[in-house]
Amino acid sequence: MMTTTQNFKITDIFGYLSADEISLEEIEEIFYQSVKGNVSEEYKIFFDSNQIELSHFQKEAAADLRASHREVAYMTRDSEVIAVIGYRVIESESTMENRK
């Protein structure tokens, strides 16, 4: 039986708040904690753009990421999108070993 293990690698962040409010490192940490199932009270991560309201620029950022073969996530605070995150899903070495 093969176990599927997925790791995520952030490649791009389009942030819409100043670094004084939230740093890129904090955005990364919140994203990685979210995909592990640790949900933040203040910040939410969405993987479906139909669940949130995007500005024209945020839609363009997401389209640019998809054109670069990235997956896209959205971070919100108080229902406002504060970051568009581009990432890749990377298989772990143990998963690749199981396929041999």
Side-chain angles (χ1 to χ4, degrees):
M1 183 171 130
M2 183 175 65
T3 304
T4 303
T5 304
Q6 294 181 331
N7 293 309
F8 301 87
K9 172 71 176 144
I10 292 177
T11 58
D12 306 273
I13 298 174
F14 292 86
Y16 300 99
L17 295 178
S18 72
D20 291 339
E21 290 186 71
I22 187 168
S23 69
L24 295 178
E25 292 80 12
E26 289 172 304
I27 292 171
E28 288 180 345
E29 182 62 26
I30 293 165
F31 174 83
Y32 289 130
Q33 288 298 318
S34 177
V35 296
K36 290 179 183 177
N38 302 321
V39 179
S40 166
E41 290 295 319
E42 186 174 3
Y43 301 100
K44 305 291 181 216
I45 301 293
F46 294 89
F47 296 92
D48 181 354
S49 63
N50 293 322
Q51 296 177 305
I52 52 175
E53 188 174 324
L54 296 171
S55 72
H56 172 75
F57 296 111
Q58 292 163 342
K59 288 177 186 176
E60 282 187 350
D64 287 347
L65 290 167
R66 285 191 199 91
S68 297
H69 307 289
R70 303 292 193 269
E71 300 295 323
V72 180
Y74 308 90
M75 180 182 289
T76 64
R77 182 179 70 184
D78 299 327
S79 301
E80 179 184 342
V81 175
I82 62 165
V84 177
I85 302 166
Y87 67 96
R88 289 185 177 201
V89 177
I90 303 168
E91 293 183 54
S92 71
E93 290 182 19
S94 61
T95 302
M96 291 188 282
E97 282 295 318
N98 289 334
R99 290 190 178 175
K100 289 184 179 178

